[in-house]
Amino acid sequence: MNKDKILEVKELKQHFRTSKKSVIKAVDGISFDIYRGETFGLVGESGCGKSTTGRTIIRLYDATSGEVKFNGVDVHSLKSKQEIKSFNRQMQMIFQDPYASLNPRMTVKEIISEGIDIHGLAKNEKEKTDRVHELLETVGLNKEHASRYPHEFSGGQRQRIGIARALAVDPEFIIADEPISALDVSIQAQVVNLMKELQQKRGLTYLFIAHDLSMVKYISDRIAVMFAGRIVELADSEELYSNPLHSYTKSLLSAIPVPDPDYERNRQRVVFDHDSYNPEGATLREIKNGHWVLCTEEEFKKMK
């Protein structure tokens, strides 16, 4: 794998104050790197902080503390309009809900060409139209779709439009925030295959956020498992599946259904006790090369 870091996240925290003056620690001090050209999977249950992580990286939220460096520059220190505009072009997001993320009053052409207009990427109307048509064909739609409105498309087609919109400004890095969770299972594989194909052709880097471990394994080079605002395990995709070490990772993996009736009848679920889990004194430690686990000194010695 290319060891050129495109993204460095260090001790990132995202805390929200509620109306009752309490603090929700959505992201509580996480660190990881993403290398150019790879797909980094971020997995966990709803409410674990994975989407908040993605939104903080792309500056939809200001970080409470910590650092996010993209191509060596701290994104939360960008001040000038020009710097922010350049960053917004290099990093794009594909959203979870293909129904809510497209403006129903805009045609497909208007939706896709918004970024082209903002960044001045077309000299004239004809060049812009040609670019939109090319993007539609790139994501498996056709140019006749450009004049239609979002309500005329299925969920899978809308997500393709969302991908075309993200690609319109030629980004280097795409955050895909649960891009397939709102789609039928039969359509999910099509969208993931499209993303893999685009990655190879365009040299893209992905942060792929999801709660479905089976699909994440299929697309990711490395996977980080997140629980209650912290990363509990991080390893290469194959290593994580074949040798899970944290009890939470084991419970997630044991819940993946297998198309084998005999196996399913006798399957042993690993139950993770959310309420009694206490990560006090635990830090992310490297058990073996590239395999990190949130554990105490004592647990670390046992795992080694």
Side-chain angles (χ1 to χ4, degrees):
M1 190 201 297
N2 182 348
K3 287 295 180 187
D4 175 18
K5 288 179 192 173
I6 190 169
L7 187 82
E8 298 168 73
V9 176
K10 287 181 186 162
E11 285 301 315
L12 183 66
K13 291 187 180 181
Q14 184 57 267
H15 297 175
F16 298 106
R17 291 204 170 276
T18 68
S19 54
K20 294 173 182 170
K21 301 272 171 65
S22 62
V23 174
I24 295 171
K25 297 179 178 181
V27 180
D28 199 25
I30 65 170
S31 302
F32 59 89
D33 299 326
I34 298 180
Y35 301 107
R36 198 175 299 280
E38 80 166 332
T39 298
F40 186 89
L42 190 58
V43 185
E45 295 168 298
S46 296
C48 72
K50 57 192 188 300
S51 289
T52 303
T53 300
R55 285 161 185 254
T56 307
I57 288 169
I58 205 168
R59 284 179 55 113
L60 289 178
Y61 299 142
D62 289 328
T64 303
S65 67
E67 217 174 40
V68 178
K69 282 188 176 177
F70 180 66
N71 284 328
V73 177
D74 187 352
V75 306
H76 289 281
S77 68
L78 300 177
K79 292 288 184 281
S80 75
K81 276 187 178 174
Q82 199 50 48
E83 285 176 327
I84 293 166
K85 192 174 171 184
S86 171
F87 168 72
N88 289 343
R89 184 181 168 186
Q90 292 171 312
M91 190 184 289
Q92 286 284 305
M93 195 161 197
I94 301 166
F95 293 93
Q96 176 176 359
D97 187 346
Y99 296 88
S101 62
L102 303 179
N103 187 331
R105 294 188 183 84
M106 291 168 79
T107 64
V108 167
K109 181 187 173 183
E110 288 167 340
I111 288 166
I112 294 173
S113 63
E114 217 173 358
I116 296 171
D117 290 338
I118 289 166
H119 295 280
L121 301 178
K123 294 188 192 78
N124 50 47
E125 193 61 32
K126 184 187 180 304
E127 192 175 307
K128 180 167 81 175
T129 303
D130 289 346
R131 196 174 168 105
V132 170
H133 289 169
E134 184 194 331
L135 284 160
L136 284 169
E137 281 167 5
T138 298
V139 298
L141 297 171
N142 58 57
K143 59 185 184 185
E144 286 72 35
H145 289 134
S147 57
R148 295 190 194 169
Y149 288 87
H151 73 265
E152 299 177 61
F153 296 91
S154 68
Q157 288 173 317
R158 287 184 207 206
Q159 201 55 294
R160 287 171 187 267
I161 295 164
I163 293 169
R165 173 177 61 186
L167 293 173
V169 295
D170 282 332
E172 291 180 70
F173 188 92
I174 291 179
I175 296 174
D177 184 11
E178 302 231 22
I180 56 173
S181 65
L183 307 176
D184 289 346
V185 175
S186 57
I187 308 298
Q188 288 181 356
Q190 292 175 16
V191 172
V192 167
N193 285 334
L194 170 66
M195 287 180 67
K196 287 179 85 166
E197 193 183 309
L198 291 168
Q199 183 176 35
Q200 284 162 358
K201 284 182 181 168
R202 291 172 173 250
L204 294 165
T205 307
Y206 292 137
L207 169 58
F208 192 91
I209 298 167
H211 61 261
D212 176 1
L213 259 167
S214 53
M215 193 55 85
V216 173
K217 183 190 180 201
Y218 177 62
I219 193 171
S220 303
D221 298 293
R222 290 184 303 136
I223 297 171
V225 179
M226 204 165 170
F227 174 72
R230 299 181 73 180
I231 287 174
V232 297
E233 190 158 4
L234 194 167
D236 286 352
S237 179
E238 285 299 329
E239 167 69 14
L240 190 86
Y241 273 73
S242 60
N243 185 28
L245 295 173
H246 196 280
S247 52
Y248 180 66
T249 311
K250 290 176 182 176
S251 78
L252 288 183
L253 287 169
S254 77
I256 297 173
V258 174
D260 176 345
D262 292 332
Y263 175 84
E264 284 297 321
R265 258 194 301 275
N266 302 307
R267 172 154 58 119
Q268 295 291 310
R269 283 290 304 271
V270 177
V271 179
F272 179 72
D273 190 345
H274 293 66
D275 299 327
S276 68
Y277 178 67
N278 180 14
E280 197 66 45
T283 57
L284 207 57
R285 301 166 200 261
E286 195 169 20
I287 304 295
K288 62 182 194 181
N289 193 18
H291 193 155
W292 298 75
V293 182
L294 186 73
C295 58
T296 61
E297 183 65 41
E298 198 179 318
E299 289 167 334
F300 176 67
K301 284 174 184 166
K302 281 183 190 168
M303 287 179 196
K304 287 289 273 188

